[in-house]
Amino acid sequence: MAERSFAREVEDLKLGDGDIFRGEGILAITKALLQSGVSYVGGYQGSPISHLMDVLADAKDVMQDLGVHFETSASEAAAAAMLSASVMYPIRGAVTWKSSAGTNVASDALSNLSSGGVTGGALIIIGEDYGEGSSIMQERSHAFAMKSQMWLLTPRPNLPSIVEAVEMGFELSEASNTPVMLQVGIRSCHVHGQFEAKDNKKPAYTLKQALENPISDVNRIVLPPASFVHEKEKLEKRWPAAVEFIKSRKINEYFGPETGDVGIILQGGLYNSVMRSLQQLGLADVYGNSRIPLYVMNVSYPMIDDEVADFCIGKKAVLMVEEGAPEYIEHTLNTLLRRRDIQTAVSGKGVLPLGGEYTTPVLTKGLKTFVETYDRLLLGNQPPIPDPTHVLQDPKIKALAEVVPPRPAGFCTGCPERPIFAAMKLVEKELGKHHVSADIGCHLFSILPPFNIGGTTMGYGLGPASASAFNVEADKRSIAVMGDGGFWHNGLATSVGNAVFNKQDGVILVVDNYYSAATGGQDIMSSRAINPRRKTNNSIVNAVKGIGATWVRQIDRTYDVAKMRDTLREALTTKETGPKIIVASSECSLNKQRRVKPEFAKAVKDGKRMVKERFGVDEDVCTGDHACIRLSGCPSLSVKHTDDPLRDDPVAAIDNTCVGCGNCGEVSEAAVLCPSFYRADIIHNPTGWDKFAARMRAAVIGWLQRRRQSKRVLFAG
Amino acid sequence: MVRFDAQLSTDKPISIAILAMGGQGGGVLADWVVALAESQGWMAQSTSVPGVAQRTGATIYYVEVMRAREGAEPILSLMPTPGDVDLVIAAELMEAGRSVLRGLVTPDKTTLIASTHRSFAIVEKERPGDGIGNPTVVIDATDFAAKRTIAFDMEAIAVKSGTVVSSSLFGALAGSDVLPFTKEMFEATIRAGGKGIESSVKAFSAAYDRAKAKSNDKVSALPTKRFDALPEKAGHPKLDRLVSRIRSEFPEEAHALLFAGAKKVTDFQDTDYAEDYLDRMLRLLALDRKVGGEERGFTFTVQAAKYLANAMAYDDVIRVADLKVRESRFERVRKEVGAKADQIVYMTEYMHPRMEEICGTMPKAMGLFIENRPKLFARLDKMVNKGRRVQTGTVFWFLGLYMVSALRGRRRGTLRHAREMQHLDAWLKQATDLASTNYPLAVEILNCRRLVKGYSDTHSRGLSKFDRVMSALPLLAAREDGGDWMKRLRQAALLDEDGVALDGALKTIATL
């Protein structure tokens, strides 16, 4: 069950010939897969391709009609291995993940796959998480394409081009017996646009047929001597076949005039930005007309030598626009021109930055330098280039930099991970700071304010493994944190198994929030919901015990800060050796609220007695030290100034987005903060007994209150 | 495909950047703009970079729209170019500031629509003092950077209509006339959507009218404080006496704070205690006059009026119990949680009494007796020191708190009171000793009382910071700029919990 329901988007998957599809890029890719007669789809969720997985998960009936098998793979490696179905059989398959993180995980299977080659079309859709808003290391998937000899498609970032790339990708894969990667950026995954749909296609050859008519061929197995033959095949057969296909189908595109003194070669994904830059330089217009010839590489690998050479011949210089480091294409381009002795100058990272995102201003600057160097007259009467520098240099704006606060990502309102890290902070106060190996997932936000907990992060499910060197005699133990997503992805064997086997004397904290929460709340092995199409409810505790862990504690309500703190303290101080594993479980608040809110509203509407909890702060009691906030960071726990002239500092305040998780109260109690927090239980549709009890209580309490009031001499207001 | 075109078109799309935080409906707003444009036969493209920003971080949604031209597909950009944005919509004041810092707002072309409400960032909230960013800096910057600014509290309008800020932002957009579409077309876009249509339309219309009226909200750097005028009659002879004392015995400059102070200590204890407060103040005023305070606007007296009241109305168990059981508090909680008349509300307080607090509430001799016997203290502490969930709305727990609050009558004999008064006297002595030789420093010593606050650990941390700040006094007493340095020390002390900034400041002072 994902965070978002895609029931409406699923309808778009049913569109037929001539219908106009309107929506996000990633949904267009999903539709394109079905139009291509794909037989099976797998993948691992993550930005920016989560929606592809989520839509397919919600599109059960469409998939059934078409006979498409869809699987939420356990990891990217599992997804890549799934493509093995296309090795021997003419079956089209597609898998997807976030790159380059996922490609790293999948690379073992990808190497084997591309060595043996494929019969049916095998498409790997990678969402490149790069540039602004990226959550991972900045690397290029291009390297994987080169080292394994897979082809890499980088279509222009508009829906018709992306959809065509999917369809063409399968054909290219089949024509060259090679798996094909299709790379889309974060922005193109989320771009809203439209394209003309086609009917969905049932697979020509089904998985069932394949399963019932198995084929084996030792030449496709990655074992010597076959693997030596594969290498030869890759270079002598598959590569030329791919080049021929790409040429004949004109996958790469040309824009602008046929000739010119200078030209630009670019990856397809950068097309819109390059065009906007040319427009700002007065060299193009918004409708795609350009004064400079452009060669757009919708296929970034392999390079089509003849096309590129022809484009360069007769030009004084070409600019290679290639994002990210290192500049693989530029290297190849230079090699090509030297080999063929073409005297066209190549400009690239010389005028453009080595790394970083190629935004419009960055490109404009580089393009301008390039044109000024080689074809100055072209620039002519150029319009003023948009430039906010004079604004930014004004003292008024500079003063702003001091005031505008950063907004680091943090735990959501009601997040069950908040009390875990509050407890860890409390233990830190008692036992001192510890080395904390973090992992990938929402819990990594604990490394940011206000918790500031965590030392390193090495990869998904690798938190405890990354603490393995610290398995030595010392006065402190290491703490490793891992989410339930990471645990099932890689952590059980690589981290917990490793720790058990090597008797790693540290603490392993598994944060179990019932979902793969950071990627949008997909179900995983230990999800508690009943998912009719998957086997959920598999216990993490049983799993770790199953591979030999002995000191295992389960905490079933992470909001119990005192218990959390005591368990952590025990784990850090117990005499027992080997890994100390704490499984801290409570449901992800985003998903819980999505589930519970409508149920609650409905019950109230039906007249049922329901109790809603939320927290508040008595502002007279609060003294404005904000210790509670330093142990929470909850979005609904904020501050406000009072109108009391005797007070200087703002007091804590809880807004109406509070979901009543209880963290505020538990923390102030466990940390002995202050008594200003209260929980209010609001009884909707009270029963007769509720009303009676409330009346009785109000009578006694009210009498006492009035009695005191009448005796006291107080100023009004 | 090769195209030739001698003449380049000068058509440009309208570019719109939306800066919003998670939960503010930035995506919905972007979708509305796209749907609106498409419904009028325009071309529209939107994109965003959510990533981890969807969890409380800030996100930019970027939309380009332009009139469709027969047979020509526009190439639209996927990200805003600084200096080339027609419209910036910021769903919060600091996000408006951020858009300016990113260069998205420029005087030659950008209309800025900003909601002036604040959603504080964690760095603003976690400060032990007041970490809230100055909003006037943002307004100064946006007024300077934008061609036109439409800025008012759109969050309040949305909340009033029972919806989220995206609806009122859409209304302000319609009212800004940047897009050539009518109000009816905008409204139809909302109506074509899914749920909560009526509340969305309500917020939309209200914001539309505000934008049309061209009346921006004023923001202020300082929080507004309520200064009540001295009343003629306060409803009781004892109260009247306090009021008339303030009026006749003190200069006018101090009246407002003295009245607030007298109110506070009366509320804390009783009118006798307030008389004590005024007596002490009178002595301080006499000193102030003697050292030439009149020329300085009686700053010493005014600041003493504020901080002496705070020092006398310290935070103890009795006060907490007293505040928790009041009828007015019961009503306030109902209002705060938005309970309807037919709903029942019960409160649960999270209390964690320790033996320290219990001893403090005992008569001085008895409290000291226990404190001086560590073993006994520890044994008793083991019994009391744990978290307690107090259900104030039930008779049993109410009575418990009610009885604790009834100890108010004996408060002046408690151990805690003795300690507080001792601390108070020492503090005032430091200030009064310096009043004649270094007036500004004396005033700053009074102001340092701000550091003492909270309960339990927080309180001891506050006290220790107070002591550390005061430790610089010998170095500063003879300095003409001693007051400025004291002020800096106090500000540093309020920057972080552990006093790292304060240590740095103290080291600086040691080198003076």
Side-chain angles (χ1 to χ4, degrees):
Chain A
M1 181 163 69
E3 208 167 278
R4 234 183 97 182
S5 161
F6 286 89
R8 200 203 62 73
E9 283 79 2
V10 166
E11 291 308 306
D12 291 341
L13 296 183
K14 297 175 186 164
L15 295 176
D17 264 341
D19 292 339
I20 299 297
F21 174 103
R22 289 191 176 83
E24 270 189 20
I26 198 67
L27 304 176
I29 291 177
T30 317
K31 169 69 177 140
L33 289 175
L34 302 181
Q35 292 181 175
S36 310
V38 74
S39 277
Y40 63 95
V41 183
Y44 196 85
Q45 59 272 355
S47 166
I49 55 81
S50 276
H51 288 182
L52 196 163
M53 303 289 296
D54 295 343
V55 174
L56 289 178
D58 283 351
K60 197 175 143 198
D61 54 336
V62 183
M63 309 286 276
Q64 231 156 27
D65 286 353
L66 294 169
V68 180
H69 171 67
F70 168 68
E71 197 160 296
T72 313
S73 310
S75 71
E76 294 86 352
M82 194 183 182
L83 288 174
S84 161
S86 299
V87 171
M88 302 307 306
Y89 311 99
I91 295 171
R92 287 186 169 182
V95 293
T96 185
W97 55 71
K98 169 199 197 96
S99 197
S100 55
T103 315
N104 289 334
V105 175
S107 58
D108 189 4
L110 290 180
S111 294
N112 282 284
L113 183 74
S114 36
S115 185
V118 295
T119 308
L123 193 65
I124 302 142
I125 297 154
I126 46 178
E128 181 121 312
D129 194 8
Y130 179 84
E132 187 189 14
S134 164
S135 54
I136 59 166
M137 58 290 193
Q138 305 291 280
E139 288 188 351
R140 295 189 64 184
S141 311
H142 196 102
F144 286 91
M146 295 198 311
K147 79 163 177 66
S148 295
Q149 298 258 1
M150 295 178 282
W151 318 135
L152 178 65
L153 306 183
T154 48
R156 288 191 290 133
N158 62 68
L159 267 46
S161 295
I162 294 171
V163 166
E164 207 182 308
V166 172
E167 294 168 336
M168 203 82 90
F170 282 114
E171 289 183 53
L172 170 62
S173 174
E174 282 155 5
S176 60
N177 301 108
T178 305
V180 172
M181 303 210 291
L182 169 66
Q183 177 187 317
V184 272
I186 297 177
R187 287 192 176 81
S188 24
C189 282
H190 293 295
V191 72
H192 169 99
Q194 45 186 275
F195 71 94
E196 197 180 315
K198 292 184 200 143
D199 285 336
N200 292 336
K201 264 206 302 226
K202 281 191 180 180
Y205 189 80
T206 66
L207 288 161
K208 183 169 184 287
Q209 278 172 293
L211 200 54
E212 289 167 359
N213 303 284
I215 308 173
S216 54
D217 178 358
V218 74
N219 292 322
R220 299 269 68 86
I221 306 285
V222 186
L223 259 185
S227 46
F228 304 141
V229 180
H230 294 162
E231 192 188 10
K232 215 167 137 67
E233 228 178 77
K234 271 181 177 179
L235 297 170
E236 291 170 8
K237 263 178 68 190
R238 298 187 213 158
W239 190 327
V243 169
E244 189 43 43
F245 181 87
I246 294 162
K247 266 205 244 178
S248 67
R249 298 295 286 268
K250 298 191 165 56
I251 302 182
N252 296 320
E253 296 169 289
Y254 299 87
F255 296 98
E258 210 160 352
T259 56
D261 278 349
V262 294
I264 300 170
I265 303 175
L266 61 140
Q267 293 164 301
L270 292 171
Y271 176 71
N272 288 29
S273 298
V274 168
M275 285 309 289
R276 180 56 55 89
S277 290
L278 288 174
Q279 209 182 320
Q280 287 177 354
L281 290 167
L283 297 172
D285 71 11
V286 73
Y287 300 108
N289 302 304
S290 167
R291 293 237 190 273
I292 297 181
L294 304 176
Y295 173 68
V296 178
M297 301 175 87
N298 291 318
V299 185
S300 278
Y301 186 84
M303 182 183 270
I304 310 304
D305 291 356
D306 293 345
E307 288 182 0
V308 176
D310 286 350
F311 183 78
C312 292
I313 288 171
K315 290 194 175 64
K316 223 160 52 181
V318 291
L319 175 67
M320 180 69 232
V321 184
E322 177 186 11
E323 195 172 45
E327 62 277 40
Y328 300 116
I329 308 178
E330 193 179 329
H331 293 161
T332 314
L333 176 60
N334 275 306
T335 308
L336 170 73
L337 296 189
R338 292 288 70 73
R339 276 192 189 141
R340 300 203 181 181
D341 195 23
I342 298 167
Q343 295 309 316
T344 306
V346 173
S347 196
K349 295 285 184 190
V351 295
L352 288 161
L354 287 175
E357 205 172 10
Y358 281 3
T359 59
T360 309
V362 165
L363 286 168
T364 306
K365 200 169 158 233
L367 282 167
K368 189 161 178 262
T369 315
F370 171 71
V371 179
E372 272 172 352
T373 312
Y374 294 103
D375 200 1
R376 180 179 283 274
L377 291 180
L378 253 187
L379 285 169
N381 289 330
Q382 48 171 322
I385 295 169
D387 183 9
T389 315
H390 64 288
V391 178
L392 295 178
Q393 276 167 356
D394 191 90
K396 284 200 186 83
I397 310 302
K398 285 189 169 160
L400 200 54
E402 302 286 306
V403 174
V404 173
R407 286 198 198 273
F411 299 119
C412 307
T413 302
C415 178
E417 305 189 13
R418 177 172 290 113
I420 298 175
F421 294 102
M424 215 187 253
K425 277 288 242 201
L426 296 179
V427 174
E428 207 175 67
K429 276 182 189 161
E430 288 174 34
L431 303 177
K433 199 171 157 67
H434 283 72
H435 173 83
V436 178
S437 295
D439 202 288
I440 310 295
C442 289
H443 53 84
L444 191 56
F445 298 155
S446 64
I447 214 160
L448 303 169
F451 294 112
N452 310 306
I453 288 174
T456 52
T457 167
M458 278 295 117
Y460 204 32
L462 303 182
S466 69
S468 53
F470 298 112
N471 188 13
V472 291
E473 282 285 329
D475 291 338
K476 282 182 183 173
R477 285 180 173 142
S478 66
I479 303 174
V481 187
M482 168 166 64
D484 47 349
F487 177 85
W488 292 114
H489 178 272
N490 206 350
L492 176 60
T494 308
S495 277
V496 179
N498 183 66
V500 169
F501 187 59
N502 290 303
K503 296 191 170 179
Q504 184 176 322
D505 187 34
V507 177
I508 296 176
L509 177 65
V510 182
V511 179
D512 167 24
N513 56 25
Y514 305 6
Y515 305 91
S516 169
T519 56
Q522 292 80 9
D523 275 341
I524 48 172
M525 290 279 283
S526 49
S527 289
R528 309 277 174 112
I530 302 295
N531 183 330
R533 300 170 63 216
R534 306 272 182 259
K535 186 175 182 295
T536 49
N537 288 284
N538 305 291
S539 154
I540 293 177
V541 169
N542 288 351
V544 297
K545 284 187 176 163
I547 61 167
T550 47
W551 196 103
V552 184
R553 300 284 183 275
Q554 163 84 50
I555 291 176
D556 246 331
R557 207 178 65 86
T558 59
Y559 300 101
D560 191 340
V561 174
K563 188 173 174 193
M564 200 63 237
R565 176 198 58 198
D566 296 346
T567 311
L568 267 170
R569 190 198 296 118
E570 191 196 338
L572 286 167
T573 52
T574 176
K575 294 229 159 21
E576 192 162 325
T577 55
K580 268 64 69 177
I581 300 176
I582 303 171
V583 182
S585 311
S586 270
E587 183 173 8
C588 162
S589 183
L590 269 189
N591 286 278
K592 185 179 171 188
Q593 291 306 319
R594 194 165 66 83
R595 187 167 55 76
V596 169
K597 254 190 186 163
E599 282 172 19
F600 189 93
K602 187 176 178 301
V604 169
K605 214 172 152 201
D606 294 347
K608 290 206 185 92
R609 179 190 190 272
M610 297 298 285
V611 181
K612 183 159 190 92
E613 295 177 356
R614 58 159 286 187
F615 275 73
V617 172
D618 281 311
E619 61 177 56
D620 298 339
V621 182
C622 173
T623 58
D625 173 71
H626 315 143
C628 53
I629 290 169
R630 292 190 290 276
L631 284 168
S632 159
C634 177
S636 74
L637 173 59
S638 188
V639 293
K640 68 166 185 200
H641 274 292
T642 69
D643 62 1
D644 182 351
L646 299 176
R647 285 167 164 248
D648 298 300
D649 295 319
V651 296
I654 294 177
D655 67 22
N656 54 16
T657 60
C658 172
V659 297
C661 75
N663 183 65
C664 289
E666 298 266 1
V667 163
S668 69
E669 188 182 88
V672 203
L673 291 183
C674 87
S676 48
F677 284 101
Y678 64 83
R679 189 186 78 216
D681 298 348
I682 306 148
I683 307 177
H684 295 252
N685 303 318
T687 62
W689 168 251
D690 281 330
K691 287 180 193 162
F692 173 75
R695 257 202 313 278
M696 288 297 124
R697 285 166 175 157
V700 178
I701 291 172
W703 181 75
L704 287 166
Q705 284 170 332
R706 283 188 297 276
R707 179 170 167 269
R708 172 167 294 165
Q709 192 69 22
S710 68
K711 284 187 178 172
R712 286 184 81 162
V713 178
L714 290 172
F715 285 98
Chain B
M1 183 168 47
V2 181
R3 271 194 299 212
F4 300 94
D5 202 331
Q7 202 61 45
L8 295 179
S9 163
T10 53
D11 291 357
K12 284 190 79 177
I14 298 177
S15 56
I16 306 166
I18 302 169
L19 287 90
M21 290 170 296
Q24 290 192 310
V28 172
L29 182 57
D31 288 350
W32 275 341
V33 175
V34 168
L36 169 66
E38 285 184 347
S39 74
Q40 301 308 312
W42 282 45
M43 300 302 292
Q45 178 181 286
S46 72
T47 184
S48 64
V49 184
V52 288
Q54 64 196 335
R55 316 271 188 247
T56 75
T59 307
I60 292 196
Y61 299 84
Y62 183 62
V63 187
E64 288 194 354
V65 296
M66 78 184 287
R67 204 182 292 276
R69 203 176 84 174
E70 197 62 36
E73 283 274 320
I75 317 286
L76 301 177
S77 180
L78 287 93
M79 56 183 112
T81 305
D84 194 27
V85 184
D86 297 292
L87 180 68
V88 170
I89 303 177
E92 196 259 1
L93 185 67
M94 285 297 165
E95 294 313 305
R98 198 182 312 281
S99 70
V100 174
L101 278 177
R102 292 181 63 143
L104 302 180
V105 183
T106 40
D108 53 323
K109 65 183 308 177
T110 318
T111 300
L112 173 67
I113 295 174
S115 179
T116 53
H117 79 282
R118 284 302 326 277
S119 171
F120 301 120
I122 187 69
V123 294
E124 298 180 279
K125 301 196 286 188
E126 70 175 358
R127 291 268 171 86
D130 183 359
I132 296 175
N134 181 355
T136 58
V137 176
V138 181
I139 295 294
D140 287 349
T142 52
D143 282 349
F144 168 76
K147 186 165 104 185
R148 182 186 162 204
T149 308
I150 298 172
F152 53 89
D153 190 338
M154 301 182 203
E155 171 78 6
I157 290 176
V159 169
K160 217 171 127 194
S161 313
T163 182
V164 291
V165 74
S166 47
S167 306
S168 34
L169 290 166
F170 200 51
L173 170 61
S176 74
D177 297 321
V178 174
L179 295 177
F181 305 125
T182 65
K183 188 188 176 200
E184 288 67 36
M185 295 171 187
F186 275 84
E187 224 180 284
T189 309
I190 299 180
R191 293 199 183 275
K195 34 191 184 178
I197 292 170
E198 287 318 313
S199 48
S200 296
V201 169
K202 208 173 134 197
F204 166 84
S205 298
Y208 175 86
D209 293 341
R210 273 297 300 272
K212 278 281 178 196
K214 299 198 158 84
S215 68
N216 283 353
D217 278 347
K218 295 266 172 294
V219 301
S220 140
L222 297 170
T224 34
K225 296 289 179 186
R226 204 185 73 182
F227 290 100
D228 295 336
L230 279 177
E232 286 306 316
K233 284 273 168 220
H236 192 280
K238 286 184 172 173
L239 299 177
D240 290 346
R241 194 184 125 77
L242 289 170
V243 174
S244 75
R245 275 193 71 183
I246 295 173
R247 189 173 282 126
S248 60
E249 296 170 16
F250 292 90
E252 211 175 325
E253 288 92 329
H255 282 185
L257 278 171
L258 280 168
F259 183 44
K263 254 199 233 181
K264 182 162 186 169
V265 292
T266 308
D267 188 81
F268 175 75
Q269 185 63 24
D270 48 36
T271 49
D272 287 352
Y273 199 55
E275 294 282 349
D276 282 2
Y277 167 66
L278 292 183
D279 292 344
R280 280 180 182 273
M281 282 306 305
L282 210 52
R283 290 198 291 276
L284 293 170
L285 173 66
L287 173 71
D288 199 4
R289 281 194 200 282
K290 208 173 86 189
V291 301
E294 189 149 13
E295 288 100 78
R296 301 173 190 257
F298 293 109
T299 320
F300 187 80
T301 308
V302 172
Q303 292 311 100
K306 179 177 177 180
Y307 290 108
L308 179 61
N310 284 342
M312 288 179 73
Y314 50 88
D315 300 297
D316 69 352
V317 180
I318 302 172
R319 177 161 183 270
V320 171
D322 184 19
L323 291 169
K324 293 266 184 193
V325 297
R326 293 185 184 192
E327 194 177 10
S328 57
R329 188 233 171 188
F330 276 53
E331 284 157 16
R332 185 170 47 77
V333 168
R334 279 195 75 95
K335 217 178 106 198
E336 266 180 22
V337 300
K340 297 199 186 79
D342 62 334
Q343 292 167 348
I344 298 170
V345 176
Y346 286 109
M347 286 91 78
T348 303
E349 327 290 349
Y350 288 75
M351 301 202 166
H352 193 138
R354 303 175 307 170
M355 202 53 209
E356 283 95 323
E357 280 85 42
I358 310 270
C359 277
T361 317
M362 289 176 180
K364 188 179 167 190
M366 191 171 152
L368 280 175
F369 178 86
I370 298 178
E371 275 194 7
N372 291 332
R373 282 160 187 76
K375 273 190 191 157
L376 174 65
F377 184 90
R379 226 174 22 243
L380 290 171
D381 190 53
K382 214 168 179 184
M383 281 161 60
V384 295
N385 188 346
K386 60 179 170 199
R388 284 162 210 275
R389 310 281 164 89
V390 179
Q391 290 165 296
T392 321
T394 61
V395 175
F396 172 80
W397 285 108
F398 180 87
L399 275 176
L401 284 182
Y402 192 76
M403 285 184 316
V404 174
S405 66
L407 294 172
R408 189 169 49 89
R410 300 185 193 173
R411 183 189 260 146
R412 296 172 86 170
T414 61
L415 177 59
R416 174 74 191 272
H417 187 75
R419 292 220 167 107
E420 287 292 334
M421 290 306 116
Q422 207 182 347
H423 189 268
L424 184 152
D425 287 334
W427 161 63
L428 280 183
K429 187 171 181 306
Q430 283 173 315
T432 49
D433 284 353
L434 276 169
S436 60
T437 55
N438 197 339
Y439 191 92
L441 181 58
V443 172
E444 288 306 329
I445 292 173
L446 292 177
N447 291 343
C448 281
R449 187 72 208 185
R450 178 178 176 183
L451 297 173
V452 183
K453 56 181 170 182
Y455 309 79
S456 316
D457 286 349
T458 314
H459 186 250
S460 17
R461 196 171 53 243
L463 273 180
S464 103
K465 275 189 185 167
F466 176 84
D467 292 343
R468 277 149 77 194
V469 169
M470 285 300 170
S471 71
L473 212 49
L475 293 168
L476 299 177
R479 292 186 69 95
E480 210 171 297
D481 60 355
D484 297 334
W485 280 107
M486 189 52 105
K487 188 173 171 187
R488 269 174 226 144
L489 282 178
R490 186 177 61 253
Q491 281 164 345
L494 288 167
L495 278 181
D496 61 87
E497 176 167 318
D498 302 324
V500 179
L502 175 58
D503 286 341
L506 281 170
K507 273 186 198 138
T508 312
I509 284 184
T511 62
L512 286 178

